[in-house]
Amino acid sequence: ADEQVKIRGFRVEPAEVESVVAAHPQVAQAAEDGGNVELASSVSAFVAERLPSYLVPSAVVVLDALPLTVNGKLDRKALPAPQYAVSAKAPDGAGSLSALEQTVCEAFAKLLGLERVGLDDDFFALGGHSLLAVSLVAELQSRGVSVSVRDVITNPTAAGLLSRMSLSSVKDALGGMLSIRPSGSKSPFFFVHPGSGSSWCYLPLARHVPKEYPLYGLQADGLDGTSEVATCAAEMAAAYIEQIRSVQPSGPYHLVGYSFGGTVAHEIAVQLQAAGEQVAALVMLDAYPAEQDADPAEVGEASRSAGEADRSDDPASSSTSDENDVHTQKLRELREDMGAVLGGISDEELSRVLRVFENNSQLLAEHRSGRFHGDALMVVAAQGKATDVPLAKWWEPYISGEITQVNLPLTHADMMRPLTLGQVWAAVEGWLGSVLS
């Protein structure tokens, strides 16, 4: 009635926006309410430089002339509905996103009435508003993801929301099997968690692994703060086999493990073979048998605890200060790793992850590997390692078949970064060959 509106709590006079849009040298006349794509982009940029974000139109429609009534006034009812531009990064089908990314993007699309929304598409730029943000929070809650309206307003993209999420945001996906991508027509890939106990680091692989393959992550007990940590790696592997069989009752199985997870994946393969099952693929990502005594700084880390390799080996040199430094360093590394997927993890949650990590380090030290009868792939994070002697030889006492080694110019931690997982998968896919055909 008074030609004013409220947007995200800000009182706005549309005429103010109209005047700025009309000041663009290629615009003859402007009207709010909602062509030429280049001109629309130019106008949006022009306005964004001159007005705060809440005043920038979420869509610009270019017409040869504005529709008029018989009295020569603007006919607002005749203005065409704006078409909101979805990012070029919008997913082309479910296969290009992880389950969590897909969940958030689908919730955005549903509330906005769009077919699809990309990770970097702005909820408000696509027509969302504060009341719709409340509905978005409820929709995400129904899908097992907890965020606040404030989170949506301050981080209005799917990627932005993910950066704010903590373990409590996705508490239903902390233990047991993580469905990274549960759909697909071929045999799944099962990924075993690293020392942190979480398989969230594997989520970006959904963008690289062909969508015909379901993807699941196996996760350690203890992350939720209520369940007890495992007592030995063999029992852990047996428990994971039960979870695997709940999804895929019989082989052939595809197993992948990073760091500590490589040793557990190997143990799973040994136990499956003992039960008469076929393991078609065993892939170990920068993982090494625990029995080796060589310096992990030179030949790779058997677990993330190998990050302490640059400290003195003399126990007498250890002090309370040193222990605190190591603890702080571990927390920092864990936060960096977890932050690649969940950026809002709290200190308490991080301490819980560290407890699981330290327990897994102990399990690794105590574990004695069996023998797997078949071929395997070992992907080595070669940066900073001595590679004149094939590191795959470490696994020869425990694998009877051919062990293929692929070196990547990465550090151990870099192997699981979202931007480098494509290289890791390319190495795996190149080795699998006929398995994926």
Side-chain angles (χ1 to χ4, degrees):
D2 59 1
E3 295 190 352
Q4 289 187 343
V5 295
K6 183 172 285 188
I7 301 177
R8 280 174 261 165
F10 297 98
R11 185 166 296 281
V12 174
E13 293 188 13
E16 179 184 358
V17 182
E18 289 180 15
S19 65
V20 175
V21 174
H24 189 283
Q26 291 179 270
V27 175
Q29 190 178 7
E32 104 284 348
D33 228 29
N36 186 312
V37 176
E38 292 184 1
L39 178 55
S41 298
S42 176
V43 169
S44 295
F46 180 85
V47 175
E49 292 176 354
R50 292 161 173 78
L51 294 175
S53 61
Y54 63 88
L55 286 177
V56 177
S58 58
V60 175
V61 180
V62 179
L63 303 174
D64 292 334
L66 295 180
L68 303 176
T69 65
V70 293
N71 296 323
K73 295 183 178 181
L74 175 66
D75 186 356
R76 298 189 184 279
K77 294 182 179 180
L79 289 170
Q83 298 297 313
Y84 296 102
V86 178
S87 166
K89 295 182 180 179
D92 183 14
S96 61
L97 295 179
S98 72
L100 181 59
E101 291 170 330
Q102 183 180 339
T103 294
V104 179
C105 286
E106 285 180 349
F108 271 48
K110 178 178 179 180
L111 269 296
L112 294 168
L114 299 173
E115 182 179 349
R116 60 194 181 101
V117 170
L119 283 172
D120 298 319
D121 287 323
D122 190 300
F123 180 74
F124 298 109
L126 295 179
H129 48 75
S130 55
L131 291 179
L132 205 57
V134 176
S135 299
L136 176 63
V137 169
E139 177 65 24
L140 287 169
Q141 182 70 47
S142 71
R143 296 169 183 252
V145 177
S146 299
V147 296
S148 68
V149 174
R150 180 180 178 84
D151 289 334
V152 175
I153 292 175
T154 57
N155 302 274
T157 67
L161 278 180
L162 287 169
S163 73
R164 296 290 299 169
M165 290 182 190
S166 64
L167 293 182
S168 60
S169 302
V170 289
K171 60 184 178 181
D172 292 336
L174 288 182
M177 188 86 74
L178 175 66
S179 296
I180 299 174
R181 186 174 65 205
S183 61
S185 59
K186 297 188 177 182
S187 297
F189 278 86
F190 296 95
F191 297 89
V192 186
H193 60 82
S196 67
S198 168
S199 283
W200 290 86
C201 59
Y202 297 115
L203 286 173
L205 278 174
R207 307 175 197 175
H208 305 289
V209 182
K211 61 183 179 181
E212 293 81 11
Y213 296 91
L215 309 175
Y216 294 94
L218 298 160
Q219 303 193 115
D221 288 334
L223 289 174
D224 58 4
T226 59
S227 56
E228 294 298 322
V229 296
T231 57
C232 76
E235 290 183 5
M236 176 184 284
Y240 292 166
I241 288 175
E242 290 186 14
Q243 296 175 31
I244 289 171
R245 282 180 160 164
S246 70
V247 173
Q248 184 185 356
S250 60
Y253 292 103
H254 302 148
L255 306 171
V256 182
Y258 164 62
S259 194
F260 169 78
T263 297
V264 180
H266 176 270
E267 176 63 24
I268 291 173
V270 171
Q271 293 190 23
L272 283 172
Q273 279 192 337
E277 295 289 355
Q278 178 186 359
V279 177
L282 173 60
V283 178
M284 294 164 294
L285 305 177
D286 215 37
Y288 304 87
E291 291 89 335
Q292 300 300 321
D293 296 324
D295 183 359
E298 296 181 3
V299 293
E301 301 87 341
S303 75
R304 294 205 41 212
S305 60
E308 303 176 41
D310 58 345
R311 297 186 299 144
S312 171
D313 291 328
D314 182 5
S317 68
S318 177
S319 64
T320 301
S321 177
D322 291 335
E323 292 174 359
N324 289 338
D325 289 344
V326 171
H327 182 82
T328 301
Q329 177 64 21
K330 287 181 179 179
L331 286 174
R332 185 183 302 114
E333 291 175 354
L334 284 172
R335 180 175 292 283
E336 184 178 355
D337 286 351
M338 298 294 288
V341 180
L342 300 175
I345 187 170
S346 68
D347 289 341
E348 188 278 329
E349 291 173 329
L350 203 62
S351 295
R352 195 187 308 160
V353 174
L354 181 58
R355 176 172 175 263
V356 171
F357 163 71
E358 290 176 335
N359 181 69
N360 287 338
S361 298
Q362 182 66 29
L363 299 188
L364 178 66
E366 297 171 351
H367 182 64
R368 292 299 176 263
S369 300
R371 190 166 177 82
F372 171 67
H373 300 284
D375 299 336
L377 171 67
M378 182 178 178
V379 182
V380 175
Q383 185 172 324
K385 294 186 177 70
T387 56
D388 51 332
V389 176
L391 303 182
K393 286 184 174 294
W394 281 20
W395 281 105
E396 287 182 354
Y398 318 106
I399 296 175
S400 65
E402 179 182 0
I403 307 173
T404 300
Q405 177 176 328
V406 176
N407 294 340
L408 295 179
L410 306 170
T411 66
H412 180 71
D414 285 343
M415 186 168 277
M416 286 293 108
R417 305 291 188 222
L419 294 179
T420 56
L421 274 172
Q423 298 179 49
V424 175
W425 176 252
V428 175
E429 190 171 33
W431 174 74
L432 288 171
S434 60
V435 175
L436 290 180
S437 62

